[in-house]
Amino acid sequence: MPAPPCTSCHAARAALRRPHSGHALCGACFCATFEAEVLHTVLAGRLLPPGAVVAVGASGGKDSTVLAHVLRELAPRLDISLQLVAVDEGIGGYRDAALAAVRRQAARWELPLTIVAYADLFGGWTMDAVARSTAGSGRSRSCCTFCGVLRRRALEEGARLVGATHIVTGHNADDMAETVLMNFLRGDTGRLARGGGLGSPGEGGALPRCRPLQFASQKEVVLYAHFRRLDYFSEECVYAPEAFRGHARDLLKLLEAARPSAVLDLVHSAERLALAPAALPPRPGACSRCGALASRALCQACALLDGLNRGRPRLAIGKGRRGLDEEGAPRDRARPPASEAIPAF
Amino acid sequence: MAAPLSVEVEFGGGAELLFDGVKKHQVTLPEQEEPWDIRNLLVWIKKNLLKERPELFIQGDSVRPGILVLINDADWELLGELDYQLQDKDSVLFISTLHGG
């Protein structure tokens, strides 16, 4: 039983069925369509204006590999320049191999690469050191919470270092749908309200961020890498199996099997979600230490580092975070726990 | 009777980690009563190739959701999935989408 013909060119045999539309496309038509859709996402959302210096959060994994490759193809049409920024979290054995993949990509694509390390940015704290300090708490899944917050900060610092005007990350539709599910399951209305849209415009002095692959499914990202023969790093982080995200991912995969459009439908649901006025999160203020956006006295990154330095790493997570508000929070509203493995861009 | 088949089985995207890190396997599927399809290829893989944590590769009688299957470089969803009947010299590629990001 051969594959049916491509519904686009009608010449070649189809190589995949697209999850959302069900269209059967050959490899060449699929890759061209994928690139055109990313271009459309960027143009329609006005995500990257002409002249932008774009820092691509590069982890060596499939998503950022595909993102960097596609943006490099589109860069002349968008009139943007690209900088790869990788973060060394200090995870022995895992990150070293991933960074080697990023270096190979930078060399092959002739893109400038800058690597920023947690240890340098955060007073000597590596993720391995954070993990050791939180392991005794009996909830080591919080590693991903720390890492997600610190990586966001590190990418911001790296992007500033290279003079970037914009930051892009490789989050795909499945990542976004998992996040929507997790926020629902935790009743995290603040994150649900902020989660829609294609990124953040850059409030509080932060660089604007966006996710050009937000409407691309995981399957399509992986198959794009396959058909374009992109070399990427695909090992699971040693700390990730503990994370709540894994459960959301399993649930999403079951939903997708029953209803292939479930992933994109969830992403769109979050975009259209409106919160009742009483559930709206408070307008964020500024972190008293670093000036970044914060809904409390300290932003999340400063709060986590503060807890680590005080030998009470759990303080900044979940209900324990109230302990950090002794300095006088601008507003006092309980936040649900934030344990989540944020996919490495 | 189905004659023995020579098939290339490949793992990628991190799935190879469950197979001692070996990506490409040239395998010979023995003669058997029924034709070889993907359903009984998975049983054979589980018995003969899978080294650890089988639940990360196989769930029920199929692959774990999130593992893509390409038969001769085409999506198995276009080819009947578990019911696809293997031919001699076919190549079957399993790519995990679940690793890293």
Side-chain angles (χ1 to χ4, degrees):
Chain A
M1 178 176 37
C6 171
T7 55
S8 178
C9 68
H10 306 286
R13 293 257 166 234
L16 83 156
R17 187 164 73 185
R18 305 196 71 189
H20 187 58
S21 64
H23 289 161
L25 294 180
C26 68
C29 287
F30 163 68
C31 288
T33 305
F34 185 93
E35 288 160 12
E37 288 176 356
V38 175
L39 178 65
H40 176 77
T41 302
V42 172
L43 290 176
R46 298 181 188 188
L47 302 180
L48 302 171
V53 179
V54 179
V56 183
S59 69
K62 60 182 175 354
D63 299 304
S64 63
T65 299
V66 166
L67 177 64
H69 183 269
V70 172
L71 286 183
R72 187 170 164 275
E73 296 288 311
L74 301 178
R77 289 183 63 181
L78 289 168
D79 187 22
I80 57 174
S81 61
L82 300 178
Q83 294 270 347
L84 298 182
V85 176
V87 176
D88 181 356
E89 298 94 341
I91 302 173
Y94 167 73
R95 199 34 113 195
D96 307 333
L99 288 174
V102 180
R103 287 196 186 90
R104 286 197 300 274
Q105 292 169 353
R108 188 171 312 130
W109 296 334
E110 297 178 325
L111 289 175
L113 166 66
T114 303
I115 300 176
V116 287
Y118 280 10
D120 299 331
L121 293 174
F122 305 128
W125 283 102
T126 62
M127 246 342 268
D128 285 337
V130 171
R132 281 194 295 276
S133 81
T134 57
S137 68
R139 283 177 60 188
S140 53
R141 69 163 54 153
S142 59
C143 279
C144 294
T145 303
F146 280 88
C147 198
V149 172
L150 298 182
R151 186 166 346 100
R152 186 180 174 86
R153 169 62 57 88
L155 183 56
E156 180 85 22
E157 302 268 346
R160 287 184 187 285
L161 205 63
V162 300
T165 58
H166 292 73
I167 295 175
V168 295
T169 56
H171 296 93
N172 61 44
D174 290 59
D175 298 328
M176 302 312 298
E178 286 162 16
T179 301
V180 172
L181 270 181
M182 288 163 65
N183 290 337
F184 264 113
L185 294 172
R186 292 192 298 230
D188 193 336
T189 49
R191 278 168 199 259
L192 273 173
R194 273 182 283 127
L198 285 157
S200 59
E203 297 160 302
L207 291 172
R209 284 184 181 239
C210 62
R211 302 176 287 256
L213 302 183
Q214 174 163 340
F215 301 121
S217 73
Q218 186 114 279
K219 173 179 174 177
E220 292 181 307
V221 169
V222 169
L223 288 181
Y224 181 88
H226 173 72
F227 291 129
R228 286 277 189 247
R229 307 199 181 288
L230 304 181
D231 157 41
Y232 64 88
F233 178 74
S234 54
E235 264 179 48
E236 185 95 278
C237 172
V238 290
Y239 300 120
E242 321 272 349
F244 184 47
R245 181 172 290 273
H247 300 294
R249 178 169 300 171
D250 290 344
L251 177 56
L252 185 68
K253 286 292 158 204
L254 291 173
L255 292 170
E256 190 186 21
R259 178 184 164 88
S261 65
V263 172
L264 267 185
D265 290 346
L266 256 173
V267 176
H268 291 310
S269 299
E271 279 173 17
R272 291 172 191 147
L273 197 71
L275 287 184
L280 283 174
R283 271 182 63 84
C287 172
S288 61
R289 196 162 296 171
C290 75
L293 273 193
S295 53
R296 295 169 168 262
L298 294 181
C299 71
Q300 261 198 314
C302 287
L304 290 178
L305 289 168
D306 191 62
L308 286 168
N309 289 330
R310 285 159 65 176
R312 298 162 75 190
R314 303 273 331 151
L315 256 190
I317 299 177
K319 290 178 181 157
R321 188 153 184 218
R322 287 187 193 127
L324 286 170
D325 284 334
E326 292 149 13
E327 301 169 40
R331 281 154 206 92
D332 195 18
R333 212 179 259 228
R335 283 172 79 111
S339 167
E340 87 181 270
I342 296 166
F345 4 101
Chain B
M1 289 291 279
L5 294 179
S6 166
V7 172
E8 181 182 271
V9 178
E10 191 178 349
F11 304 97
E16 69 276 13
L17 301 174
L18 303 172
F19 297 85
D20 271 350
V22 180
K23 289 191 167 182
K24 279 194 184 185
H25 303 250
Q26 296 293 340
V27 307
T28 304
L29 302 172
E31 186 176 298
Q32 65 168 22
E33 284 294 325
E34 307 161 9
W36 278 99
D37 56 18
I38 301 290
R39 186 178 283 104
N40 42 49
L41 174 68
L42 288 174
V43 175
W44 187 92
I45 287 174
K46 186 175 179 184
K47 198 187 289 178
N48 293 281
L49 295 181
L50 196 51
K51 299 295 182 190
E52 53 180 309
R53 295 177 292 169
E55 73 281 4
L56 295 187
F57 187 72
I58 288 179
Q59 282 181 12
D61 67 349
S62 191
V63 290
R64 181 184 178 201
I67 293 178
L68 306 179
V69 185
L70 297 182
I71 301 163
N72 303 323
D73 227 23
D75 190 354
W76 75 330
E77 290 181 26
L78 301 169
L79 297 168
E81 303 193 13
L82 291 171
D83 295 324
Y84 173 82
Q85 289 198 5
L86 286 163
Q87 315 290 317
D88 198 39
K89 308 281 186 275
D90 271 354
S91 75
V92 185
L93 167 61
F94 298 90
I95 313 179
S96 174
T97 64
L98 303 167
H99 286 79

